[in-house]
Amino acid sequence: MGVVQAAAGPDPDGRSGDAAARQQVVSDIVDVFAELNGRLRQHYVERSAEFGLSATDAAAVQRLREPTPMRALAARLGCDPSNVTSIVDRLHRRGLARRTPDPVDRRITRLVLTTEGERMQAALDARLLDAPPVVAGLDLDQQRTLRELLRTAAASPPGA
Amino acid sequence: MGVVQAAAGPDPDGRSGDAAARQQVVSDIVDVFAELNGRLRQHYVERSAEFGLSATDAAAVQRLREPTPMRALAARLGCDPSNVTSIVDRLHRRGLARRTPDPVDRRITRLVLTTEGERMQAALDARLLDAPPVVAGLDLDQQRTLRELLRTAAASPPGA
DNA sequence: TATTGTTATACTCTATAACTATA
DNA sequence: TATAGTTATAGAGTATAACAATA
């Protein structure tokens, strides 16, 4: 159930019933969503740790599928570019990624996975995308429906 | 799209197609889910700020619907009990909540909203549950379907 | 003059451990 | 001996601002 508790009986005056019911559905969704988000985060933390990586570092490895400027990786991770430096430093120390100069713009550093990094990426994909909490318990059809609904919600502009 | 990119053409050997397609759906869902979670967080931060509250403090107000021990509030907020002290201190300074002794167990502090706290709670419900990003753009039927799917996913035990 | 990556720093969030008062 | 709440503190995560190199 959501934060807003459902009334015990029917609406006394019979007017606010619709609005209350609608608010209840929204409240329920937000609540389960938050619950699942917590589990999903834990899933990523625990499974990334199996490879000796933080969840953030693992996410970075998953997102390096072609030569990528630092800023672009920051955008994909949804964080500030200043954070990427330390992430890439750690991946470099682990022998998973390296910095290469951009051929045309010398301000840009392009990030590339090493061979070991590519192996790690495949392993992470298999392990992290194996029945994560948002999807576990849903068959393929249900997953497709869920994806469609979430995409529709995401297509609604943030400031609407 | 998800982290794992969909292949351009059909599967060459015709064997891994199913598994790859399934992984793609999961990857997509996890991605949109994360995107929506970010927007939802922002929604709560911004709208709570309209009332001079942090998102956490607002969530606490929303969850005080009857006399509640500190630990119970911590459980509802999904945080450690040690955090609740400062939250309640702030709500108290704002005149929104007060601590009352439990009638039978003197170790327990029960949290109760003041009249102003109850007004704030109603205002927060109206404002925070008004078309949050997870739900915006979905009609009532779609919202019900989404709730059902998320509940099914949440019903699947975390360690499964 | 604007932009990339880096660095130093500060701020927020959250958990752990030690303490007290009760049970 | 165990539990509720408090306190101090430390760690992770993230953002801001200033800087050097390059455009």
Side-chain angles (χ1 to χ4, degrees):
Chain A
M1 278 301 156
V3 210
V4 177
Q5 299 306 319
D11 190 38
D13 59 34
R15 270 178 307 159
S16 60
D18 265 26
R22 232 170 285 145
Q23 198 183 54
Q24 184 63 51
V25 178
V26 174
S27 173
D28 287 349
I29 291 176
V30 168
D31 251 42
V32 211
F33 193 91
E35 161 72 19
L36 284 173
N37 184 61
R39 290 202 212 162
L40 189 58
R41 165 159 285 114
Q42 205 184 1
H43 169 95
Y44 272 82
V45 169
E46 289 172 357
R47 300 216 172 172
S48 300
E50 296 174 5
F51 301 90
L53 294 174
S54 72
T56 305
D57 292 358
V61 170
Q62 284 193 294
R63 266 149 258 261
L64 288 177
R65 310 204 101 96
E66 72 282 312
T68 306
M70 310 276 289
R71 282 188 114 76
L73 179 56
R76 282 180 213 165
L77 293 174
C79 72
D80 191 89
S82 63
N83 298 314
V84 175
T85 301
S86 59
I87 295 173
V88 174
D89 284 349
R90 282 190 297 273
L91 296 185
H92 179 69
R93 275 193 297 268
R94 284 285 303 265
L96 299 173
R98 59 177 205 281
R99 290 175 233 240
T100 67
D102 184 280
V104 314
D105 189 335
R106 285 191 299 172
R107 292 174 301 181
I108 296 176
T109 298
R110 301 206 306 178
L111 305 171
V112 182
L113 287 185
T114 62
T115 307
E116 195 180 334
E118 285 171 2
R119 275 197 295 267
M120 177 65 87
Q121 184 180 74
L124 287 172
D125 286 344
R127 190 73 182 126
L128 299 181
L129 296 178
D130 169 43
V134 224
V135 155
L138 301 181
D139 62 35
L140 189 52
D141 271 352
Q142 291 175 314
Q143 291 180 19
R144 290 217 178 90
T145 307
L146 176 59
R147 176 173 63 176
E148 196 50 34
L149 288 170
L150 293 179
R151 280 181 175 168
T152 304
S156 190
Chain B
M1 278 298 158
V3 210
V4 177
Q5 298 307 318
D11 191 37
D13 58 38
R15 269 180 308 158
S16 60
D18 265 26
R22 231 170 285 145
Q23 199 184 52
Q24 184 63 51
V25 178
V26 174
S27 174
D28 287 349
I29 291 177
V30 167
D31 252 40
V32 211
F33 192 91
E35 162 72 19
L36 284 173
N37 184 60
R39 289 202 213 162
L40 189 59
R41 165 160 284 113
Q42 205 184 359
H43 170 94
Y44 271 83
V45 168
E46 289 172 357
R47 301 218 172 171
S48 301
E50 295 173 5
F51 301 89
L53 294 174
S54 71
T56 306
D57 292 357
V61 170
Q62 284 193 293
R63 266 148 258 262
L64 288 178
R65 309 204 103 93
E66 73 282 312
T68 306
M70 310 276 288
R71 284 188 114 76
L73 179 57
R76 282 180 214 165
L77 293 174
C79 73
D80 191 89
S82 63
N83 298 314
V84 175
T85 300
S86 59
I87 295 172
V88 174
D89 284 349
R90 283 189 297 272
L91 296 185
H92 179 68
R93 274 193 298 267
R94 284 286 303 265
L96 299 173
R98 58 177 206 278
R99 290 175 233 241
T100 65
D102 183 280
V104 314
D105 188 336
R106 286 190 299 170
R107 293 174 301 180
I108 296 177
T109 298
R110 300 204 308 177
L111 305 172
V112 183
L113 287 186
T114 62
T115 307
E116 197 182 332
E118 285 171 3
R119 275 196 294 266
M120 177 67 85
Q121 184 180 75
L124 287 172
D125 285 347
R127 190 73 182 126
L128 299 181
L129 296 179
D130 169 42
V134 225
V135 154
L138 301 181
D139 62 36
L140 190 52
D141 271 354
Q142 290 175 314
Q143 290 181 18
R144 290 218 178 90
T145 307
L146 176 59
R147 175 172 66 175
E148 195 51 35
L149 288 170
L150 293 179
R151 279 181 175 167
T152 305
S156 189

